[in-house]
Amino acid sequence: MIFHFAAQMANYVYLIVDRADSTAIAVDPCWDVDGIVRVASDLGVRVTQAIFTHRHFDHTGGNVPAQMTGGMPVTLEGLHTMLQAGVEVAVGAADREATSKQSGVAAEQIRPLQDGEHITLSGASICVLETPGHTPGSVCFLLGTGRGPGVLFSGDTLFIGSCGRSDLPESDPMRLMESLKRLSALPDEVVVLPGHNYAAPAHSTIADERSTNGIMQQAIARAG
C-alpha cells in the first residue's frame, strides 16, 4: 500500500548538502526516511535539519487520511521519524499546529518558520518565503550562495507549468494567487524545484514559469 501511495503521489525529497561540515538539510523528507538517511550517508554527510514546505501527509508523513486507505490506519515515516532520529524539524508557523496533529508530535518540538527567516549553511543561506494558499502555512525555500541566482524549493505552491490545489478545505485561492505573484518577482534565473514530479522536466526557472505557466500569468494579472 505504501509503495502504491508513493508512486501515485510522486513526491520529490531534496538534500541540501554542506560540504564544509559534512551535514545536510532535508526538504520534505517523507515516505522512506531510512532511505533518505542512507543516501546522505553515501554522500558522506549527516542530516541535521528537516524543513517542510507544508503540513500535508505526503510531505510530513504521519497519519494518512482514512478515506485514502479504506479505513485502515496507516502512518507514514516523516517528520516524527526525523525527530526520533535527533534531527531538528521545522515547518511554516501557520501550519505548525496542524502538523503536530498530523504527525503526533507536540507542537513545541516543531520549530515554526517565519517569513524572511534565514537558515545558514557554510557559504550559503536558505531564506524562508511565506507562500500561503495551498495551506495556510505553506512556505518556499530560496537557497542562495552569493555566486548565482539561487534555487527555489517550491513545495506545492508552484509546480512546473501549474500550481498546487486551492480547492481543499483549508486552501485559499486568492492567497495562492498572491503567493504565485510574489514568486514571479524573483530573478529570472532562479531554478525552480517543485514538490512533485508532475511534469516531464524535473526543474524549471522563474523566467520559464513566468512565460509559460498560465496560472502564474493569471496571478500576475489579477492578484492585488
Side-chain angles (χ1 to χ4, degrees):
M1 177 178 286
I2 299 299
F3 177 83
H4 173 74
F5 277 151
Q8 183 182 45
M9 293 295 183
N11 287 78
Y12 282 124
V13 176
Y14 300 99
L15 286 176
I16 303 171
V17 172
D18 189 339
R19 289 294 184 189
D21 63 2
S22 298
T23 62
I25 297 174
V27 180
D28 288 349
C30 186
W31 301 97
D32 182 11
V33 167
D34 285 344
I36 295 165
V37 171
R38 189 161 53 248
V39 169
S41 179
D42 290 345
L43 293 171
V45 298
R46 176 174 55 90
V47 178
T48 57
Q49 296 185 63
I51 55 179
F52 297 86
T53 58
H54 64 291
R55 55 130 317 195
H56 287 156
F57 79 89
D58 55 317
H59 294 259
T60 64
N63 299 319
V64 179
Q67 63 267 29
M68 299 186 70
T69 67
M72 294 174 54
V74 175
T75 302
L76 293 183
E77 298 177 9
L79 181 145
H80 66 287
T81 324
M82 282 289 180
L83 190 64
Q84 290 166 1
V87 175
E88 180 183 359
V89 298
V91 70
D95 270 5
R96 184 167 74 152
E97 292 297 330
T99 300
S100 170
K101 294 177 183 178
Q102 169 73 29
S103 61
V105 170
E108 294 74 22
Q109 294 182 282
I110 304 171
R111 181 158 67 91
L113 297 171
Q114 307 290 344
D115 188 51
E117 178 178 344
H118 283 79
I119 302 167
T120 58
L121 303 89
S122 301
S125 179
I126 301 168
C127 181
V128 178
L129 302 178
E130 285 185 352
T131 52
H134 181 62
T135 67
S138 288
V139 294
C140 295
F141 302 115
L142 181 60
L143 173 66
T145 65
R147 298 187 299 273
V151 176
L152 182 73
F153 300 91
S154 60
D156 284 9
T157 297
L158 175 63
F159 295 145
I160 308 302
S162 63
C163 69
R165 291 179 62 178
S166 62
D167 60 342
L168 302 172
E170 62 185 356
S171 301
D172 186 323
M174 284 308 302
R175 295 191 79 190
L176 179 57
M177 295 295 270
E178 291 166 0
S179 293
L180 291 172
K181 183 174 182 179
R182 180 184 190 185
L183 296 181
S184 75
L186 293 173
D188 287 356
E189 299 84 4
V190 168
V191 175
V192 177
L193 299 180
H196 290 270
N197 181 17
Y198 288 166
H203 56 81
S204 181
T205 66
I206 290 295
D208 288 341
E209 294 309 305
R210 198 186 299 120
S211 63
T212 64
N213 187 322
I215 301 175
M216 178 174 274
Q217 290 170 348
Q218 290 180 38
I220 295 168
R222 298 181 185 179

